[in-house]
Amino acid sequence: MQSNFAYEDHSPFLHKITCILPDVIQYQRRTLKRKMSTDVGNVLFFVGVGVVGVSGNIFNLIFSLQQQVKTRSIQTVGLILDVISISNIILVLSTLAMVVSVFLNAHIWCIKPYPLGLRFEMYLMMTCGFISFWAIAWLSLFYCIKVVNFSSEIFRTLKKNISTVINTAVTLSCLFSFLLFLPAFSLDLPDSADKNISETNITTCPQPTFTLQIDINAYAAAVLLLICPIPLMIMLPTSVRMVVHLCAHTRALQKNQTQVQGSDSYLLVCKLTISLVGVYLSTLFMVALYFIIKVLGAFMTYQALVSAFTFYCGMTSVLLTASNRYLKDKLWSLFCCRKAKEPVSKSQTVVTQDV
């Protein structure tokens, strides 16, 4: 009698569970499908931006090296183009690798010590971004000195040796960048952090710090100055000076001063440098906005950071290709299966070559 009473007493409860269980299973299935579709979408997004950011730079690098092998010489602009292409490729790949590491292990920022692979990815990302930014600054300075006529004897002497100066500056920038971001390998959680942070406290992970004995504030200030204000102080004045020179050059042509070279090359050089500065500033704005939102504690996916660097790498490769006649001819021949026509005038010479 007692067993029958218990059975009859619990039967409504069992009936409710039997009715609710299919809904719970269906909800879990929908949640799993939604998560899988989101993961597939993220994978497709990162693969797409990776192809966009890397393909153009690989194209520029391959055919730029091919041209240098044919001519058996490395000109200044060719060297800068190689440096920008290589650094952009590594920048996109290292950013994607860091995102994949976080995607595979959401708690990776709370692991003590930080995985060596994560530190290496951050090191490459910062180093290659720094090199690429400064290469654009040196390219702007190079064109300004080569194109603009200066009355000062110092600038005249600099103009004669500008290729050697810029080659040395590019090389030193690369070496300096490799040394500047070496402290990234010492990034780790503070010693006071719990080594076994639970998943429930994952959002309260402490900020990483350097295990080396360095002034963090001074180091961060130096890095920020070298990434933004100082390169911009080179890019903007040189671009403005070239625009002023172009305007004066155009007025001279209108007065039938035929001894002056055609303005097509000057115009393309000005468009190239100004466009590169615009891409540089846009990228810095997007990256700064990403970190500001993260510091404020708001949710921000890594897609924003990847998109910013992909935009930068893709646009720089497009601009450098569009301003180089040899690369344009190669691109034209690849897509149209025929050799591109040669320019009809000397004013349409290769822009991204030493002048």
Side-chain angles (χ1 to χ4, degrees):
M1 293 296 293
Q2 186 176 0
S3 60
N4 293 335
F5 175 78
Y7 174 79
E8 293 176 359
D9 184 57
H10 289 81
S11 59
F13 177 74
L14 295 174
H15 178 70
K16 289 181 180 180
I17 291 193
T18 306
C19 296
I20 295 174
L21 188 58
D23 294 335
V24 173
I25 295 175
Q26 188 177 4
Y27 173 77
Q28 290 179 346
R29 287 178 179 176
R30 288 199 302 265
T31 304
L32 182 60
K33 288 181 180 180
R34 191 181 301 112
K35 185 178 184 301
M36 290 179 62
S37 62
T38 302
D39 293 342
V40 171
N42 290 335
V43 171
L44 293 177
F45 170 80
F46 291 129
V47 170
V49 297
V51 171
V52 172
V54 171
S55 58
N57 290 281
I58 291 178
F59 172 84
N60 288 347
L61 178 62
I62 291 175
F63 289 105
S64 176
L65 292 175
Q66 183 186 62
Q67 184 185 26
Q68 293 167 14
V69 171
K70 287 182 178 180
T71 58
R72 296 182 181 179
S73 64
I74 301 178
Q75 296 181 337
T76 300
V77 175
L79 174 63
I80 296 177
L81 196 151
D82 294 341
V83 169
I84 292 177
S85 299
I86 294 174
S87 59
N88 284 354
I89 292 170
I90 300 177
L91 175 61
V92 173
L93 294 180
S94 59
T95 306
L96 289 176
M98 186 187 71
V99 173
V100 170
S101 299
V102 177
F103 178 77
L104 295 177
N105 185 3
H107 310 154
I108 195 169
W109 297 111
C110 293
I111 296 176
K112 182 178 176 64
Y114 273 174
L116 180 60
L118 183 64
R119 300 183 190 187
F120 187 64
E121 289 157 6
M122 290 190 293
Y123 172 77
L124 289 179
M125 186 175 64
M126 293 184 293
T127 300
C128 294
F130 182 91
I131 293 174
S132 184
F133 292 159
W134 272 94
I136 293 178
W138 295 131
L139 182 65
S140 301
L141 179 62
F142 174 78
Y143 277 137
C144 181
I145 298 297
K146 292 291 286 187
V147 170
V148 179
N149 295 321
F150 296 95
S151 57
S152 174
E153 187 64 29
I154 297 178
F155 284 100
R156 289 182 179 180
T157 305
L158 180 61
K159 189 171 186 176
K160 295 178 181 179
N161 304 285
I162 188 61
S163 295
T164 303
V165 172
I166 297 299
N167 291 345
T168 305
V170 171
T171 304
L172 291 178
S173 297
C174 296
L175 296 177
F176 178 74
S177 178
F178 293 142
L179 297 176
L180 177 64
F181 295 104
L182 280 177
F185 287 102
S186 68
L187 273 176
D188 204 352
L189 295 176
D191 294 333
S192 58
D194 186 8
K195 295 183 180 181
N196 299 315
I197 302 176
S198 63
E199 296 182 8
T200 56
N201 295 328
I202 195 70
T203 58
T204 61
C205 285
Q207 294 293 328
T209 185
F210 295 110
T211 57
L212 297 176
Q213 297 298 324
I214 60 175
D215 190 335
I216 298 178
N217 294 328
Y219 177 77
V223 170
L224 291 177
L225 285 174
L226 290 171
I227 287 179
C228 181
I230 297 179
L232 194 61
M233 291 171 60
I234 298 176
M235 296 179 191
L236 284 181
T238 53
S239 300
V240 171
R241 185 64 183 88
M242 290 179 63
V243 171
V244 172
H245 176 77
L246 175 64
C247 295
H249 182 71
T250 303
R251 288 196 299 268
L253 287 178
Q254 292 175 351
K255 295 179 181 179
N256 295 325
Q257 296 183 4
T258 55
Q259 294 180 353
V260 186
Q261 184 184 355
S263 61
D264 290 349
S265 297
Y266 291 145
L267 179 61
L268 289 176
V269 167
C270 289
K271 287 181 178 180
L272 172 65
T273 54
I274 294 174
S275 299
L276 288 175
V277 173
V279 171
Y280 163 77
L281 291 176
S282 301
T283 304
L284 288 182
F285 173 77
M286 290 187 286
V287 174
L289 184 63
Y290 169 82
F291 283 108
I292 290 174
I293 294 176
K294 294 286 285 187
V295 169
L296 294 177
F299 176 74
M300 194 72 173
T301 64
Y302 283 98
Q303 290 183 357
L305 185 63
V306 176
S307 299
F309 287 130
T310 303
F311 166 79
Y312 170 78
C313 297
M315 287 303 300
T316 51
S317 66
V318 169
L319 291 172
L320 292 173
T321 302
S323 61
N324 188 297
R325 189 182 64 182
Y326 181 80
L327 295 179
K328 283 194 298 184
D329 288 347
K330 286 295 181 180
L331 186 64
W332 182 269
S333 62
L334 286 176
F335 281 93
C336 299
C337 300
R338 62 186 180 87
K339 189 175 181 179
K341 295 181 180 179
E342 295 293 332
V344 296
S345 64
K346 291 183 178 181
S347 62
Q348 298 176 351
T349 54
V350 179
V351 177
T352 51
Q353 276 191 351
D354 295 358
V355 291

